[in-house]
Amino acid sequence: MSKYISIVGIILVMIGTIFSLWSILGTKENYVGTADWFNHQQENFKKDKKKVIIGTILIITGSFLQIIVMF
C-alpha cells in the first residue's frame, strides 16, 4: 500500500512542477519584449498566478504523501 501512496505522491509532484512551469515553457521567445507582450502582462500574470498556486498545492500534497509513507 505504501508503494502506491508514494507513486501517487511522485506523480502529483511531477504534475505540479509541469503545471507551475508551463507558462514559461510555452512562451515564445519572439513574443517576449514586444508591445503586445507588455500590453497583456497583467492578464497573463493573473492566469499564470492561478496555475502556479495550483501547481504548488500539488507539489506540497505529493511531497506530504511521500513523507507520510516514510514513517
Side-chain angles (χ1 to χ4, degrees), residues 12-53:
L12 286 176
V13 170
M14 180 186 67
I15 292 170
T17 303
I18 291 170
F19 204 71
S20 296
L21 297 175
W22 193 255
S23 62
I24 294 171
L25 296 173
T27 303
K28 296 180 182 177
E29 293 177 17
N30 297 339
Y31 178 65
V32 177
T34 62
D36 190 41
W37 180 72
F38 282 110
N39 290 340
H40 294 97
Q41 252 184 334
Q42 187 174 11
E43 297 161 6
N44 292 336
F45 176 77
K46 289 177 185 177
K47 291 182 212 172
D48 292 343
K49 184 177 178 181
K50 290 177 187 176
K51 291 178 185 176
V52 169
I53 289 172

